[in-house]
Amino acid sequence: ERDLYWIWHPKVNRWALRYQQWKIVKYGQGEPKIKDWQLFNIEEDPGERINIAAHYPEIISRMHQKFLVQRSKDLKKDDG
C-alpha cells in the first residue's frame, strides 16, 4: 500500500491524494486546508461524482496529514 500524490495545472493548484479506496481532491488557489478537500470513495464512485467529505471528517483529517507529508517531501526535492 502506498499513497498516490499529484498536482496538476500548478497555476490553478489542483491537488489530489489517493490512499486505498479514498481520494481527496482540491481545486483552486492556495495551499489546501482540511475544509477545502473533497472526498471520494473511488471503489463505489469511480466517476468521483459524490463528494462525501462531510460524512467522513476523520478520513479527511488523516488524508490531509498524508498530503502534508507528501507535499513536504516534494518541496524538499525542489530545494535540493
Side-chain angles (χ1 to χ4, degrees):
E1 293 182 2
R2 64 187 172 112
D3 303 334
L4 299 175
Y5 157 86
W6 61 98
I7 299 171
W8 69 104
H9 298 290
K11 290 183 181 181
V12 294
N13 292 341
R14 295 181 181 175
W15 317 83
L17 179 94
R18 178 180 173 185
Y19 180 71
Q20 298 176 343
Q21 79 269 25
W22 305 108
K23 181 177 178 185
I24 55 173
V25 179
K26 189 260 185 186
Y27 299 95
Q29 296 187 353
E31 289 284 327
K33 296 178 176 50
I34 289 177
K35 66 178 179 60
D36 297 331
W37 292 112
Q38 295 179 39
L39 176 68
F40 303 97
N41 181 330
I42 57 176
E43 287 180 359
E44 295 177 7
D45 178 20
E48 299 174 18
R49 297 178 189 273
I50 303 168
N51 177 10
I52 56 175
H55 302 288
Y56 296 95
E58 69 286 350
I59 292 172
I60 289 285
S61 179
R62 190 173 338 131
M63 291 196 63
H64 179 74
Q65 290 304 311
K66 286 178 171 290
F67 173 84
L68 293 177
V69 168
Q70 291 295 335
R71 180 74 174 137
S72 175
K73 289 177 186 178
D74 194 36
L75 291 173
K76 285 180 184 176
K77 282 193 279 185
D78 288 347
D79 289 343

